[in-house]
Amino acid sequence: MEDQACPRCKTTKYRNPSLKLMVNVCGHTLCESCVDLLFLKGSGACPECMVPLRRNNFRVQLFEDPQVEKEVDIRRRILRDYNKREEDFGTLEEYNDYLEEIEDIVYNLCNNIEIIETNKRIEAYKRDNRDVIQRNKTRVGRDESALEEMLELERVQEESRKKELDELETEHKKKKARDKQALIEELMYSGKDAAQIVTEFAEKAEKQREEEKQLPPPKSSNEFSTGIKFGQTADPTLIPVPKSEEGPLFVYEPLIAITDGPTPPPTDEIESEGYITHIRPETQQENAGGFTSTMACERALQEALQGLFYTPTAGVAAGI
């Protein structure tokens, strides 16, 4: 966006890196300084299209094309009322017609086509579907509340886990300092050989590390400090899905094709014999998915030799 400039003061981001371009519902941009200057009283007209605007409706431009900003704002405003779902319609065709109507409205508002008639359609829809709109808004509010609760649960669990890890690390440092101090005192006041003392402390530390590895991991907290469990809005009658017992591991066995006709050349001979000469090489995406040009050539050879396959029993039955 360095080449973009304010249409009024002609300032660019190249000359002013801190320049902030603002956009309103009309889709035309102005820099922050020009917005403050032109809309001192809170309202005014766009310098380009003379559409009445308000200062509090300006926002920082996120996309390079201001028309995209305009469409995003219009679509967000329309979908706030056109919030029906597929289950609100009797057939899929009715739901598709409803989505097509939304796109027509967004297109007309973005391109300034039949603005008055389109706004009348929107007001008529809001008037005729007031109950459905309010019901769906309430349902969306419940979904957002459930999502916020899940995010809060994850945050609390993460903080609890972080606190527990900090406590374990602090305790480990204190224990390490105590062991170091005990080793120094043992070397200073004990009559044993220094190498023997160091060896005994090393063996003791290694044994403690092995015991710590065998300890089970700490369980994650599942309730608040008040005793209320996480996820109270969830259905308490639901039970977790039982875990299935793990079976034997999968062992790959290559497929052996039994045919009565000519045998296609093996994979190692496809390239050496030149069969792959007229096969398109695989792309990086195809190779990442496990596909190679050798596989395509081998499949083509198999299909070509299928016409030469024969069944001896069929010939005997026909009296040949």
Side-chain angles (χ1 to χ4, degrees):
M1 297 178 65
E2 292 184 356
D3 57 342
Q4 287 191 331
C6 174
R8 184 174 181 275
C9 63
K10 308 303 180 182
T11 304
T12 64
K13 276 186 172 293
Y14 180 78
R15 290 186 293 178
N16 183 13
S18 61
L19 177 70
K20 286 185 180 181
L21 294 176
M22 313 289 287
V23 65
N24 209 310
V25 294
C26 63
H28 297 125
T29 57
L30 285 174
C31 69
E32 190 175 19
S33 300
C34 291
V35 170
D36 294 335
L37 180 63
L38 294 175
F39 297 89
L40 291 175
K41 297 181 180 180
S43 62
C46 176
E48 294 192 33
C49 61
M50 303 307 296
V51 173
L53 303 175
R54 297 191 62 84
R55 172 66 180 87
N56 55 3
N57 289 335
F58 277 93
R59 61 190 183 281
V60 178
Q61 181 178 345
L62 300 178
F63 300 94
E64 184 175 357
D65 188 356
Q67 290 298 323
V68 177
E69 294 279 354
K70 180 180 180 180
E71 181 178 349
V72 170
D73 180 73
I74 292 174
R75 191 174 295 275
R76 183 186 297 113
R77 178 163 52 89
I78 295 301
L79 293 180
R80 193 178 298 122
D81 296 319
Y82 282 78
N83 54 8
K84 289 185 180 181
R85 302 185 180 183
E86 185 175 354
E87 55 266 25
D88 295 329
F89 298 89
T91 61
L92 180 60
E93 184 178 359
E94 295 178 358
Y95 179 59
N96 290 334
D97 293 340
Y98 172 76
L99 296 179
E100 186 175 354
E101 180 184 2
I102 295 176
E103 295 301 323
D104 290 340
I105 292 175
V106 173
Y107 180 82
N108 291 344
L109 295 179
C110 291
N111 296 276
N112 299 324
I113 301 174
E114 300 178 351
I115 298 295
I116 299 177
E117 290 78 3
T118 304
N119 287 327
K120 289 182 178 179
R121 285 174 60 186
I122 296 174
E123 293 300 326
Y125 172 83
K126 292 167 62 176
R127 184 172 57 254
D128 298 337
N129 299 272
R130 185 180 296 108
D131 297 337
V132 178
I133 293 174
Q134 186 60 35
R135 183 189 64 196
N136 288 338
K137 284 184 178 180
T138 305
R139 181 166 55 184
V140 172
R142 289 197 301 266
D143 294 341
E144 291 179 351
S145 299
L147 179 59
E148 290 178 358
E149 183 180 356
M150 292 176 60
L151 295 176
E152 179 67 15
L153 168 62
E154 293 180 0
R155 186 187 65 80
V156 172
Q157 289 179 340
E158 183 66 22
E159 291 180 355
S160 175
R161 178 61 178 168
K162 183 179 179 181
K163 182 180 179 181
E164 186 176 0
L165 291 176
D166 292 341
E167 293 176 355
L168 290 175
E169 185 177 0
T170 303
E171 183 63 25
H172 180 71
K173 290 181 179 179
K174 290 181 180 179
K175 184 177 181 303
K176 191 174 181 180
R178 290 195 300 266
D179 293 342
K180 183 178 180 181
Q181 184 64 28
L183 175 60
I184 295 174
E185 293 178 356
E186 186 74 14
L187 292 173
M188 291 177 61
Y189 302 110
S190 177
K192 297 182 181 179
D193 182 61
Q196 182 181 359
I197 295 175
V198 173
T199 303
E200 291 177 356
F201 269 83
E203 293 177 353
K204 183 178 179 182
E206 183 65 25
K207 184 178 180 181
Q208 290 179 351
R209 283 195 294 267
E210 293 295 333
E211 292 177 354
E212 291 177 355
K213 290 181 181 179
Q214 297 177 359
L215 292 176
K219 296 182 179 179
S220 59
S221 177
N222 60 351
E223 61 181 21
F224 295 100
S225 59
T226 56
I228 301 176
K229 293 184 178 181
F230 297 139
Q232 287 295 317
T233 58
D235 190 353
T237 61
L238 298 178
I239 59 176
V241 178
K243 295 182 179 180
S244 59
E245 297 181 0
E246 295 184 358
L249 297 178
F250 173 77
V251 178
Y252 173 74
E253 296 181 0
L255 178 63
I256 301 176
I258 301 175
T259 62
D260 293 327
T263 303
T267 305
D268 54 350
E269 293 183 7
I270 290 180
E271 295 184 3
S272 61
E273 298 294 335
Y275 291 104
I276 202 171
T277 304
H278 302 288
I279 302 298
R280 176 182 63 82
E282 69 276 5
T283 63
Q284 293 183 353
Q285 291 81 359
E286 293 171 344
N287 199 355
F291 179 81
T292 61
S293 58
T294 307
M295 296 171 57
C297 184
E298 185 176 5
R299 185 178 301 172
L301 290 172
Q302 290 175 355
E303 294 177 354
L305 294 176
Q306 280 181 356
L308 301 177
F309 288 169
Y310 66 94
T311 305
T313 56
V316 174
I320 299 175

